[in-house]
């Protein structure tokens, strides 16, 4: 089983200076997911996501993400899903431009049936947990690549997800991001914008 440019940034150079990896940012954008059922009944869902991170100590940061999806309609019925994670992370610098990270926290999920069939089902929500580990690297002063694994347990079901992504910073404060996630039953991609502060 988630944009504002200050006027002063318009005069900033296209390639940002090397100031290390940022752990203080806001990010948001579009996401599309596919849930695989092991047959021809795979279902697609479109939605949006938001992410946030804030460093609270040299190697410790708070982070969270939120996603909202609407599945494809079947006979006029569909489902809306909401999932949010909030957790604590620790970074381990292993080189000037490379960090290893570990983290974990609480996971919240809700499924809401919509359309004619919604009278047959009720909303479901649950609280679980997640743990994750990964790596972030600056290949150039402007380009970050990242990846990792996340394990989530919610609704009495578990999902192990691989994460790969990249961020290209046009200025020290603004960049664009993209990512792909592949899990036990769900794949998703994300495209968005990031504001560093």
């Amino acid at each position: 089983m988630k944009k504002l440019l200050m006027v002063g940034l318009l005069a900033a150079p296209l390639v940002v200076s090397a100031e290390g990896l940022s752990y203080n940012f806001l990010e948001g954008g579009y996401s599309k997911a596919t849930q695989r059922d092991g047959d021809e009944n795979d279902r697609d869902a479109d939605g949006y996501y938001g992410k946030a991170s804030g460093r609270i100590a040299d190697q410790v940061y708070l982070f969270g993400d939120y996603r909202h999806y609407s599945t494809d309609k079947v006979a006029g019925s569909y489902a809306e899903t909401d999932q949010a994670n909030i957790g604590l992370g620790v970074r381990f610098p292993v080189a000037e431009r490379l960090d290893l990270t570990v983290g974990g926290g609480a996971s919240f999920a809700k499924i809401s049936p919509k359309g004619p069939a919604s009278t047959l089902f009720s909303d479901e929500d649950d609280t679980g947990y997640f743990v994750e580990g990964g790596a972030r690297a600056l290949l150039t002063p402007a380009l970050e690549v990242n990846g990792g694994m996340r394990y989530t347990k919610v609704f009495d079901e578990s999902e192990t997800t691989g994460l790969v992504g990249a961020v290209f910073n046009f200025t020290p404060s603004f960049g664009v991001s993209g990512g792909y996630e592949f899990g036990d039953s769900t794949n998703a991609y994300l495209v968005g914008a990031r504001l560093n502060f």
Side-chain angles (χ1 to χ4, degrees), residues 22-181:
S22 173
Y23 286 84
N24 298 306
F25 62 81
L26 297 174
E27 180 180 325
Y30 168 79
S31 180
K32 185 177 184 68
T34 299
Q35 184 173 25
R36 305 185 308 278
D37 293 332
D39 51 28
E40 297 181 357
N41 296 320
D42 292 355
R43 299 195 67 179
D44 292 330
D46 295 277
Y48 54 87
Y49 77 96
K51 295 182 180 181
S53 176
R55 193 158 68 178
I56 58 176
D58 183 51
Q59 292 183 231
V60 183
Y61 57 97
L62 292 172
F63 67 100
D65 61 78
Y66 169 78
R67 297 188 191 185
H68 175 86
Y69 287 115
S70 294
T71 65
D72 290 345
K73 291 183 179 180
V74 176
S77 296
Y78 64 100
E80 291 187 348
T81 65
D82 298 273
Q83 184 166 4
N85 300 298
I86 184 168
L88 186 71
V90 181
R91 70 182 189 97
F92 299 94
V94 295
E96 183 179 359
R97 296 185 179 184
L98 174 63
D99 283 359
L100 300 181
T101 62
V102 294
S107 185
F108 311 94
K110 181 178 180 180
I111 302 174
S112 302
K114 303 292 182 180
S118 63
T119 57
L120 303 176
F121 304 94
S122 59
D123 291 0
E124 294 184 57
D125 60 78
D126 192 28
T127 300
Y129 68 90
F130 73 95
V131 292
E132 65 179 34
R136 300 179 61 191
L138 280 177
L139 296 186
T140 73
L143 178 62
E144 173 193 337
V145 295
N146 50 71
M149 299 291 292
R150 173 181 283 186
Y151 174 85
T152 306
K153 183 72 177 289
V154 68
F155 286 122
D156 293 324
E157 296 182 359
S158 61
E159 178 91 1
T160 301
T161 305
L163 317 167
V164 293
V167 180
F168 185 83
N169 293 298
F170 292 100
T171 75
S173 297
F174 178 77
V176 293
S177 62
Y180 181 69
E181 303 180 356

